Amino acid sequence: MSSTSSPDVVRSLTVGGRTIRVAVRQGTDEDVPPLLLMNGIGASLEVLQPLVDALDARRTVVRFDVPGVGGSPRPVVPYVLSTLTPVVAGVLSKLGHDEPVDVLGLSWGGGLAQHFAVQHRRRCRRLVLAATATGSLMVPAHPRVLARMLTPRRHRDPAYARQIAGDIYGGTMRTEPDRAAAALHANTRVGPKRGYYYQLASSAGWSSLPFLRLIRQPTLVIAGDDDPIIPVVNARVMARLLPQGRLHVYRGGHIALITEAQELAPVIERFLDE
């Protein structure tokens, strides 16, 4: 990472009746397409800071809190992925990014990113899908892991996050659970519990399997070989079905993009710079 990167500018924008808290790190090179980050479930945009810090300072990075999470007020009415993507597109327009951007989706955000790539194909140049899958039609996690994903407690209770980190996140979290608690709780803003449940419900029953073939953008699928939430076989399936998909399997777990950002950021950079 270059030490000349500018600090993030954080503000709230209202699009289509929804108010979204957005952070923008302005890049040093306007010729490099901006990178839009879509976060995992229940996580505020601050959780992605290690990844932003590890990315090249040339690249503008945009991230946001989904409704009801972090600093975005909870939605008046529930939403689904297909109604949230136009809001995200509107946020980009308000920020002055009408040209195609690169999109990276982590975990739950990977579902939103897949939807965005199809619904707004002219706005998405390249796609990175990290620790994510095809939704309800996938090789599922162990029921014990799924049960722990049904509550936002790990985002609210650092001691609980340490206790379950190895079981649900895998990778280095098995031996260093304190790092999971730090990653989820460093400077994070936790929204109302209801925001987590809205986010969970927004993708209930959703699957990208029927439309994976419509994702025409060059797509990098990144997966850990020890991810209890999204077993790595899902990434292999996705990479095979995506018309321009390719796979990078790393040694590690579900949140390595945050905890091992320095190792994975160069993989992402190489793909985006091709």
Side-chain angles (χ1 to χ4, degrees), residues 170-237:
T172 53
M173 299 308 98
R174 296 191 189 280
T175 51
E176 304 170 71
D178 284 343
R179 292 180 63 203
L184 294 180
H185 293 274
N187 305 311
T188 133
R189 297 169 51 140
V190 177
K193 274 186 190 176
R194 195 177 300 177
Y196 184 94
Y197 297 122
Y198 275 136
Q199 199 175 358
L200 201 61
S202 70
S203 56
W206 170 87
S207 174
S208 63
L209 264 184
F211 67 78
L212 272 186
R213 292 276 181 208
L214 300 178
I215 298 177
R216 303 287 183 188
Q217 296 89 339
T219 304
L220 175 65
V221 181
I222 302 180
D225 63 0
D226 180 22
D227 184 342
I229 296 174
I230 309 286
V232 69
V233 62
N234 290 285
R236 300 190 193 282
V237 170

Side-chain angles (χ1 to χ4, degrees), residues 80-154:
V80 291
L81 298 184
S82 60
T83 59
L84 186 57
T85 47
V87 175
V88 175
V91 166
L92 288 173
S93 296
K94 283 206 169 185
L95 292 172
H97 298 308
D98 287 313
E99 74 287 2
V101 301
D102 295 327
V103 178
L104 183 153
L106 170 62
S107 193
W108 180 93
L112 185 63
Q114 290 171 68
H115 228 91
F116 186 87
V118 172
Q119 265 187 298
H120 303 276
R121 61 170 68 86
R122 291 184 183 88
R123 310 285 302 260
C124 178
R125 187 188 75 111
R126 282 180 169 249
L127 184 63
V128 180
L129 301 174
T132 193
T134 54
S136 57
L137 299 174
M138 62 172 275
V139 178
H142 188 281
R144 185 181 67 244
V145 173
L146 291 174
R148 285 171 168 167
M149 295 299 292
L150 291 174
T151 162
R153 185 178 168 191
R154 66 192 182 286

